[in-house]
Amino acid sequence: MAFRVAALMAAAVCSMQVSIAAAQGGQCPAQPCADQPGKVAVPKNTRPWSNGCSVPPFIQMPDFSFEKCCDNHDSCYMSCGVSKDECEKSFGSCLKKHCKAKYPGNEECTSTANTYVMGVTAFGCNGYQESQVIGCECVAPAKAEEHTEKVVTNFFAKYNKTKTPEEVSAALAQYKGKVGTMLNRLYRKYPEAIEIISRDGQAQKRRGEEL
């Protein structure tokens, strides 16, 4: 089944890749503040959420319990400032590790994982851009650093109270200009931060709860 599904997805991808590349230059930029000139995007003080693994209703996929990787992928898309490419690479790595650990030697698991990655790589741009709007808010540049520090401080206050203000500042300095990457890694390290709203891959929620 996975190989037949992969073939169907490959055909769809081949037919769409030319238009995707032409429209986006092979990229999918996040522009959550495009309609607010003079503002910059910073993390919103909310939890990311996941609705499970999304699969088109006309495709039947084998169940290899990819939920954790799908949760990480959803939260990555909502990590303000992260690139879509980084999310897809993290997703692929998670799925491959899962197959190796839980289904060693199972080629169908690997093929299904590849199909998932191929699907989000080719067709996930709108979802990524919409998720960046959910995960970001727009502030004046002069307030960006202070706001980001507050959000990260609040995160550690809830999920790792042992972090000192000095350690938070050091982490922000380490990830200066790469806060999206930092958030993505934090959500993977502290999966309890991700709110699971469903497992049907369809449910939507505009905002996560306050941190």
Side-chain angles (χ1 to χ4, degrees):
M1 173 65 75
F3 295 101
R4 184 160 64 93
V5 170
L8 289 171
M9 289 291 290
V13 170
C14 288
S15 68
M16 290 292 291
Q17 277 182 331
V18 172
S19 60
I20 290 171
Q24 301 170 351
Q27 302 296 318
C28 181
Q31 300 174 319
C33 300
D35 61 345
Q36 299 186 49
K39 299 291 184 69
V40 296
V42 294
K44 192 176 290 181
N45 194 39
T46 58
R47 291 175 71 188
W49 51 265
S50 174
N51 59 12
C53 299
S54 303
V55 179
F58 58 86
I59 294 179
Q60 296 297 315
M61 299 285 278
D63 183 4
F64 287 104
S65 302
F66 288 152
E67 286 83 5
K68 180 179 178 181
C69 295
C70 291
D71 293 343
N72 291 340
H73 187 253
D74 284 349
S75 66
C76 185
Y77 269 19
M78 294 181 199
S79 300
C80 185
V82 75
S83 70
K84 180 176 181 295
D85 184 61
E86 180 175 331
C87 292
E88 312 314 11
K89 288 180 179 177
S90 294
F91 188 42
S93 176
C94 182
L95 293 173
K96 289 177 182 178
K97 287 179 181 178
H98 177 79
C99 286
K100 185 175 181 179
K102 301 295 184 180
Y103 304 93
N106 189 318
E107 292 185 5
E108 187 177 38
C109 185
T110 301
S111 177
T112 303
N114 290 338
T115 300
Y116 269 102
V117 175
M118 182 167 55
V120 294
T121 299
F123 303 110
C125 186
N126 286 342
Y128 163 73
Q129 292 176 330
E130 290 170 1
S131 295
Q132 284 289 290
V133 172
I134 294 172
C136 300
E137 65 180 276
C138 305
V139 302
K143 296 182 178 179
E145 187 172 330
E146 179 184 358
H147 179 94
T148 300
E149 183 172 359
K150 179 181 178 182
V151 170
V152 175
T153 298
N154 287 346
F155 180 93
F156 282 119
K158 186 164 186 177
Y159 299 107
N160 186 348
K161 292 182 173 62
T162 66
K163 287 289 183 182
T164 66
E166 292 75 20
E167 288 174 321
V168 172
S169 295
L172 286 167
Q174 178 183 352
Y175 286 96
K176 188 175 181 63
K178 299 183 292 183
V179 175
T181 296
M182 177 184 184
L183 292 172
N184 180 32
R185 292 178 180 178
L186 285 175
Y187 297 148
R188 296 205 309 268
K189 185 174 182 178
Y190 303 99
E192 64 272 22
I194 305 171
E195 181 183 8
I196 309 302
I197 65 169
S198 80
R199 284 300 183 202
D200 62 8
Q202 302 298 321
Q204 298 294 314
K205 181 179 179 179
R206 189 62 189 168
R207 297 174 182 270
E209 69 179 51
E210 290 289 321
L211 284 171

